Amino acid sequence: MIDKLSWIAVYPELVLLVMACLIALVDLGVKSPRRTLTYALTLLTLGAVAVMEASYALGGQTFYGFGNMVVVDPMGSWLKCFSSIALMITVVYGRPYAADRDMLRGGEFFTLSLFALLGMFVMISGHNFLVLYMGLELMTLCSYALVALRRDDAQATEAAMKYFVLGALASGFLLYGLSMLYGATGSLNINEVFNAIASRQVKHQVLVFGLVFIVAGLAFKLGAVPFHMWLPDVYQGAPTAVTLIIGGAPQLAAFAMTIRLLVEGLLPLAIDWQQMLALMAIGSLVIGNLAAVAQTNLKRMLAFSTISQMGFLLLGLLAGVVNGNQLHTESAYGAAMFYALTYVLTTLAAFGIILLLARAGHESEEITDLSGLNQRSPLYAGVMAMSMFSLAGLPPLVGFYAKLGVLQALISSGQTSYLVLAVFAVFMSLIGAFYYLRVIKVMYFDAPHSHNAQPISAPADAQIVLAINGALLLVLGIAPSSLMTLCAQSINSIVNSLGV
Amino acid sequence: MGLLSLAIWMPIFFGVGLLALGRESQAHTVRWIALIGAIASFLVTLPLYDGFQLGTSAMQFVEKSSWIPRFNMNYHLGVDGISLWFVLLTAFINVVVIIASWESITTRVNQYMASFLILSGLMIGVFAALDGMLFYVFFEATLIPMYLIIGIWGGPNKIYAAFKFFLYTLLGSLLMLVALIFLYNKSGGSFDILAWHKLPLSATAQTLLFFSFFAAFAVKVPMWPVHTWLPDVHVEAPTGGSAVLAAIMLKLGAYGFLRFSMPITPDASHEWAGLIIALSLIAVIYVGLVALVQRDMKKLVAYSSVAHMGFVTLGFFLFNDLTVSGGIVQMIAHGFVSAAMFLCIGVLYDRVHSREIASYGGVVNTMPKFAAFALLFAMANCGLPATAGFVGEWMVILGAVKSNFWIGAAAATALISGAAYTLWMYKRVYLGPVTNENVKGMLDINNREFLMLGLLAIATLYMGIYPKPFTDVMNTSVADLLKHVALSKLN
């Protein structure tokens, strides 16, 4: 017998599911090559879901459905709300690009995106190992298909293949780790696992063994070193519109899953997973930043920069608990959530520019393709410059406060080793500044190439969204307070529910 | 909205407006809007001086409202006798620079003017901020417009210079960021700079903090041996960029020493004062000699800036009110004089398109009015009495001799090398018969150039003849600062 509360918990997911199926059907009758009706319906669905999630989040309650298999809490609702918005922005930027490359022939671009989002929702809300896993698989299966959407393009097919093989391997890792935990604790429910571990009745060795596989699986999804190598290849190889689909909203879902598994489920093992996170963070910062310097392809450079940004995010995650002391949990995980949100916002802007600059027959994905952009379009150049400065962590852009929050979390722990980590991260971001600056240099200091000197034309909806996206980077940079509070409160509700 | 907020946001508002409205074809309108914006922003700062209460070291025109409550960051502004003049100086130099760029900038005029207006607002923000993180945000944000100014309108090697400028100064500032967060945690969650002045700190913490701040401010000043970015950047930057860089941006670093290093870590400051004094003397003596052999006029003035800023840091770390005030006076004077020197080079460059001393000779014959101005500024640069350059140097040397004769004597040699490189350059460029073809056809300065140099000439002479308004304002604040520095924070 399923109670009413259970249905309330998954209303947005249901809407998404029904609409995704409906759009697939409606699309059969759509004749327009740009798929205007499908596009409008997709945006409508995403908007509606975002509003529903926002109202759940503002309600501030935490409740469980379907026998504790799914949870609705402010963090999850906000992340789902922002994922929908991120996907909305992605679709707006991506439609002209996809239309030019004949990717809209069937409506799969839209329906697969919606199903991927559904997968993310399940990942974010899952409160049971198998539900989490199901969500992850739904999301990644859609992503594999999306990457291969241009099936006549050798590069995209290769990227899809790599993504699929490595992704399956990582899922296997994760599943293996989860099954070990199940074997050790006798439960798939996150709360019960937490309690079982906290009671110290379970053999530590078995737990740590399972934990290693879980962390490896999560690191793969986040793109942290040493599980990062798929990321540059897939980012570069996938059609840019798809790159944005897999590089934007899914980061939020991966973040949510990390919190669900490591914090809600395995916080008593924090000392063990923190060591792993610390090593992965250092590796990501070093390899991501150094490799990005050498790139000439913009998408590949952004991929490596993602790896380094994830390193920073991991630093936030590991600062939460110090020697079993959970005083800083809220501020550290809150900082990590803020980092994830602002990172996605910034990435959307950067990839949005690449998408809108690309035209039929020309991808515009080399860094030099941006040369002289300021002369061609001050708006695009301005937005791109802001997203680069933001990724570099320069005030007054929002990326600065993301880094600030993480550094503050590290330093306030009072641990000397964390202070050293903070200084190290700061030096690594100096290297980061170099390659972000190079993009700005190309746009502002170089003259346009002859082959990309023609005027830029993008649909009005994309231009408006781009302008808003860019403005947000600055506005949130000048007044980051409300978003910070939102993140902290969301995390707070989780920490409180742990009863620690 | 308070006066300080107005001083900060008015130029930024005009700058952003220009970015939004300006078009290439409307360059003339853009220039006028920029000039009106700059003048209005300068006029807004005048009531600050007018309403400033002498005889108190308290912060004035204070504005405080919550900014990011989660981290207890406040939008907290205020000026005391140390920062007041820099707010005015920044707004003043901004007007001059916009007049100076009237004709020489013909591409992307709206972006150029906007960069300077925004930069001016941000720099005023640095001088007015009383919240550590607000200070940092303004301090760092100035890098963005300056990077663009150098990179877009600079010389042939501009990209190298822009990157060098950005990365060098960012490296320093990032360490300061860690220091600020550390202080925030130490003080129990406050970014209030004035509260930090009273915060007890252990010797180790002070040393670490001192060097973190040192990394940020020494690079910005710049002190020997981290000064190497400055000549490269000056050579490549457009005239206006050089003028603002020398006149204001270098002061951000020196100001940081006064606001952060000395009062927050007084014991470490005393312990490491010897090091700073040694580095300052190297800057004064050695870099002065380096300036002597330059062939490029901009490089020469750039090295002379390093030497002059050496006086400033020397004065600060001798810890007596004469030298500290002298250092501040020197900062203001250098603001007028170095800006003027760079603008003079700009005037020559506009006509001949060369900065080599050897490309000129006998300019006085074709440009007598201009040569007169140049002579005045050259004299000020070598510290002739009755010019602005004299007051600060004299105060620092006098104070130095009081505390240690040899330090004073070593610093005083700067007067000789300063006079040598400045006057030798003046002789080779301006005096004698016309030795170069291109000098023959040079036209004397027009009214616009006359106005811009005239403004600076008045300021230079006024400050040299009657420095009282400058020193009066800072006396109490400097005395209060030194009280903080004298008080040990240990035990």
Side-chain angles (χ1 to χ4, degrees):
Chain A
M1 182 68 198
I2 296 168
D3 56 5
K4 196 165 158 248
L5 202 62
S6 295
W7 289 116
I8 293 177
V10 294
Y11 269 158
E13 280 84 351
L14 287 178
V15 170
L16 201 55
L17 176 66
V18 170
M19 283 306 289
C21 297
L22 199 68
I23 288 170
L25 287 176
V26 168
D27 189 71
L28 292 175
V30 174
K31 291 278 181 307
S32 113
R34 296 185 87 87
R35 288 281 183 284
T36 314
L37 180 63
T38 320
Y39 170 70
L41 278 175
T42 307
L43 288 189
L44 196 72
T45 310
L46 291 172
V49 170
V51 170
M52 284 173 84
E53 291 296 351
S55 68
Y56 277 36
L58 289 173
Q61 284 159 320
T62 303
F63 53 91
Y64 298 85
F66 297 99
N68 283 351
M69 293 241 256
V70 295
V71 57
V72 175
D73 58 4
M75 181 193 83
S77 300
W78 278 127
L79 285 175
K80 285 193 266 182
C81 172
F82 289 123
S83 305
S84 317
I85 295 172
L87 190 64
M88 231 164 135
I89 299 175
T90 308
V91 170
V92 172
Y93 291 157
R95 185 172 73 128
Y97 177 95
D100 284 348
R101 278 153 193 77
D102 208 19
M103 285 160 64
L104 296 184
R105 213 169 10 183
E108 305 97 73
F109 181 75
F110 299 107
T111 37
L112 282 175
S113 308
L114 288 176
F115 277 116
L117 186 67
L118 181 62
M120 294 175 217
F121 274 27
V122 176
M123 262 168 95
I124 293 171
S125 291
H127 205 247
N128 176 294
F129 285 162
L130 283 184
V131 175
L132 281 175
Y133 187 75
M134 247 170 50
L136 178 70
E137 284 307 285
L138 178 56
M139 180 193 85
T140 45
L141 276 175
C142 295
S143 312
Y144 302 148
L146 277 167
V147 174
L149 204 54
R150 291 182 75 188
R151 54 173 180 258
D152 46 353
D153 184 279
Q155 221 192 357
T157 334
E158 185 194 326
M161 208 60 210
K162 274 182 192 158
Y163 193 21
F164 175 67
V165 172
L166 290 172
L169 184 70
S171 296
F173 272 159
L174 193 65
L175 195 60
Y176 187 53
L178 294 176
S179 67
M180 298 210 58
L181 280 188
Y182 175 61
T185 60
S187 174
L188 287 168
N189 182 284
I190 287 183
N191 271 352
E192 286 167 23
V193 170
F194 181 91
N195 292 333
I197 298 175
S199 68
R200 297 177 188 279
Q201 307 264 306
V202 189
K203 237 186 174 170
H204 191 70
Q205 249 172 334
V206 185
L207 289 175
V208 172
F209 202 68
L211 182 69
V212 171
F213 284 99
I214 290 180
V215 170
L218 288 174
F220 181 91
K221 296 300 168 198
L222 284 170
V225 171
F227 306 101
H228 64 289
M229 260 331 286
W230 63 277
L231 205 125
D233 290 339
V234 174
Y235 268 43
Q236 188 186 359
T240 313
V242 176
T243 309
L244 191 48
I245 296 179
I246 57 179
Q251 301 288 356
L252 298 179
F255 171 79
M257 190 155 119
T258 310
I259 291 282
R260 295 265 186 249
L261 285 176
L262 294 187
V263 176
E264 289 192 56
L266 304 171
L267 197 64
L269 295 176
I271 292 175
D272 299 297
W273 55 256
Q274 274 172 345
Q275 289 167 351
M276 282 184 261
L277 291 196
L279 286 177
M280 291 194 309
I282 294 171
S284 303
L285 286 170
V286 172
I287 292 179
N289 279 316
L290 291 182
V293 171
Q295 303 308 319
T296 56
N297 181 292
L298 187 54
K299 278 160 74 182
R300 206 172 170 79
M301 188 210 94
L302 285 172
F304 279 108
S305 113
T306 302
I307 296 171
S308 74
Q309 303 279 348
M310 287 304 130
F312 235 102
L313 190 143
L314 290 178
L315 287 181
L317 284 175
L318 69 87
V321 184
V322 185
N323 293 337
N325 173 354
Q326 296 173 0
L327 273 180
H328 302 291
T329 318
E330 180 206 316
S331 70
Y333 299 152
M337 182 171 165
F338 185 80
Y339 204 102
L341 286 175
T342 54
Y343 167 75
V344 169
L345 184 71
T346 320
T347 308
L348 284 173
F351 274 103
I353 301 280
I354 304 178
L355 278 172
L356 298 185
L357 284 182
R359 54 203 68 255
H362 183 65
E363 286 294 334
S364 189
E365 54 182 48
E366 292 295 314
I367 294 179
T368 49
D369 285 332
L370 291 177
S371 56
L373 184 60
N374 179 44
Q375 269 125 302
R376 296 158 65 205
S377 165
L379 170 70
Y380 285 18
V383 172
M384 190 69 171
M386 282 202 277
S387 64
M388 288 298 122
F389 279 128
S390 178
L391 286 172
L394 221 72
L397 294 150
V398 71
F400 167 68
Y401 300 93
K403 290 208 160 62
L404 176 71
V406 169
L407 292 176
Q408 146 67 14
L410 281 174
I411 295 172
S412 70
S413 70
Q415 298 276 89
T416 316
S417 57
Y418 283 0
L419 186 66
V420 173
L421 264 183
V423 174
F424 172 77
V426 150
F427 275 106
M428 283 296 135
S429 59
L430 183 74
I431 299 178
F434 175 76
Y435 56 81
Y436 294 125
L437 278 186
R438 215 175 44 184
V439 176
I440 296 163
K441 170 233 158 197
V442 167
M443 292 190 302
Y444 281 87
F445 307 167
D446 292 357
H449 288 177
S450 51
H451 68 79
N452 59 8
Q454 70 259 67
I456 294 159
S457 59
D461 54 351
Q463 292 216 30
I464 293 169
V465 172
L466 186 73
I468 296 174
N469 192 344
L472 268 181
L473 296 179
L474 187 62
V475 170
L476 282 175
I478 292 169
S481 191
S482 46
L483 187 60
M484 274 181 181
T485 315
L486 183 154
C487 290
Q489 281 170 353
S490 309
I491 294 293
N492 208 1
S493 72
I494 289 196
V495 175
N496 287 343
S497 75
L498 292 179
V500 287
Chain B
M1 203 179 214
L3 274 177
L4 282 173
S5 284
L6 215 54
I8 294 171
W9 295 108
M10 194 166 192
I12 294 181
F13 172 77
F14 269 93
V16 172
L18 281 182
L19 280 184
L21 299 173
R23 288 281 172 280
E24 210 71 20
S25 55
Q26 303 156 338
H28 201 63
T29 329
V30 165
R31 290 188 185 108
W32 276 107
I33 296 176
L35 183 63
I36 291 167
I39 291 176
S41 312
F42 175 60
L43 292 179
V44 166
T45 60
L46 289 182
L48 289 176
Y49 176 71
D50 197 45
F52 191 82
Q53 306 274 317
L54 293 180
T56 163
S57 64
M59 287 293 165
Q60 306 189 26
F61 306 102
V62 176
E63 292 171 41
K64 188 171 183 178
S65 50
S66 186
W67 174 35
I68 305 176
R70 257 198 74 68
F71 287 120
N72 196 9
M73 292 179 201
N74 295 304
Y75 179 76
H76 189 182
L77 302 174
V79 284
D80 63 357
I82 295 174
S83 47
L84 173 74
W85 272 107
F86 294 105
V87 174
L88 275 86
L89 179 69
T90 309
F92 174 73
I93 294 291
N94 191 37
V95 176
V96 175
V97 161
I98 282 177
I99 299 177
S101 317
W102 204 260
E103 279 154 22
S104 54
I105 299 296
T106 50
T107 53
R108 309 196 218 168
V109 183
N110 64 321
Q111 291 184 351
Y112 181 88
M113 296 297 178
S115 302
F116 276 97
L117 285 165
I118 292 172
L119 184 60
S120 158
L122 294 175
M123 289 190 299
I124 292 177
V126 176
F127 291 122
L130 292 181
D131 179 277
M133 202 44 70
L134 190 66
F135 174 90
Y136 185 81
V137 167
F138 281 126
F139 192 82
E140 283 285 89
T142 56
L143 293 183
I144 298 175
M146 200 63 196
Y147 171 75
L148 295 176
I149 288 169
I150 299 166
I152 299 179
W153 296 277
N157 215 357
K158 59 191 185 179
I159 289 161
Y160 169 74
F163 273 78
K164 197 167 181 182
F165 163 76
F166 197 101
L167 295 177
Y168 256 66
T169 41
L170 183 66
L171 171 65
S173 331
L174 285 172
L175 284 173
M176 173 167 76
L177 176 65
V178 176
L180 292 177
I181 301 175
F182 181 83
L183 276 169
Y184 167 76
N185 288 312
K186 261 280 179 278
S187 63
S190 161
F191 274 113
D192 188 345
I193 299 175
L194 300 179
W196 287 348
H197 288 186
K198 301 184 185 94
L199 184 73
L201 290 164
S202 72
T204 330
Q206 282 197 38
T207 307
L208 287 175
L209 284 171
F210 180 81
F211 280 103
S212 308
F213 284 130
F214 180 74
F217 301 137
V219 170
K220 202 90 172 180
V221 165
M223 292 179 71
W224 187 88
V226 286
H227 67 288
T228 59
W229 62 272
L230 187 75
D232 288 334
V233 170
H234 269 311
V235 169
E236 299 303 329
T239 306
S242 287
V244 169
L245 187 66
I248 317 289
M249 271 201 126
L250 305 189
K251 274 70 188 182
L252 301 182
Y255 175 74
F257 277 118
L258 290 178
R259 193 62 92 210
F260 288 87
S261 308
M262 289 164 64
I264 294 175
T265 62
D267 301 287
S269 297
H270 280 289
E271 196 177 335
W272 297 100
L275 174 75
I276 308 271
I277 290 171
L279 293 180
S280 305
L281 285 177
I282 293 175
V284 169
I285 299 166
Y286 166 72
V287 177
L289 292 175
V290 171
L292 204 54
V293 296
Q294 298 307 315
R295 292 177 188 165
D296 182 308
M297 288 189 281
K298 264 192 158 178
K299 255 198 172 140
L300 189 148
V301 181
Y303 279 112
S304 119
S305 284
V306 177
H308 280 111
M309 291 307 286
F311 257 101
V312 174
T313 45
L314 174 69
F316 289 172
F317 282 85
L318 286 170
F319 307 114
N320 72 52
D321 37 357
L322 199 57
T323 57
V324 174
S325 310
I328 301 172
V329 169
Q330 170 81 340
M331 277 160 78
I332 303 168
H334 183 253
F336 293 132
V337 177
S338 67
M341 297 288 282
F342 280 114
L343 293 178
C344 285
I345 298 171
V347 166
L348 291 174
Y349 185 82
D350 283 346
R351 285 162 174 75
V352 179
H353 294 283
S354 166
R355 289 182 305 260
E356 292 287 310
I357 294 177
S359 312
Y360 299 90
V363 172
V364 68
N365 298 304
T366 48
M367 301 178 74
K369 272 194 278 182
F370 174 60
F373 274 121
L375 181 65
L376 170 71
F377 297 128
M379 290 302 170
N381 200 44
C382 46
L384 192 80
T387 64
F390 171 73
V391 191
E393 281 182 28
W394 177 77
M395 285 166 81
V396 172
I397 294 173
L398 195 68
V401 170
K402 260 201 224 162
S403 64
N404 181 328
F405 173 77
W406 292 109
I407 292 177
T413 60
L415 294 178
I416 303 168
S417 64
Y421 59 71
T422 314
L423 295 181
W424 195 33
M425 175 182 83
Y426 189 80
K427 182 206 148 228
R428 284 183 292 169
V429 172
Y430 295 92
L431 302 182
V434 176
T435 50
N436 257 308
E437 272 309 303
N438 41 26
V439 174
K440 274 186 190 150
M442 284 166 76
L443 295 173
D444 208 344
I445 46 176
N446 58 27
N447 290 340
R448 175 185 64 82
E449 287 161 332
F450 191 90
L451 173 69
M452 115 197 148
L453 295 176
L455 284 172
L456 286 168
I458 293 169
T460 307
L461 283 174
Y462 182 82
M463 191 175 174
I465 295 167
Y466 188 62
K468 195 168 174 299
F470 296 87
T471 48
D472 273 357
V473 162
M474 61 189 68
N475 280 339
T476 327
S477 295
V478 168
D480 184 65
L481 170 75
L482 287 172
K483 241 188 287 167
H484 273 293
V485 179
L487 226 58
S488 172
K489 283 186 169 185
L490 301 176
N491 72 58

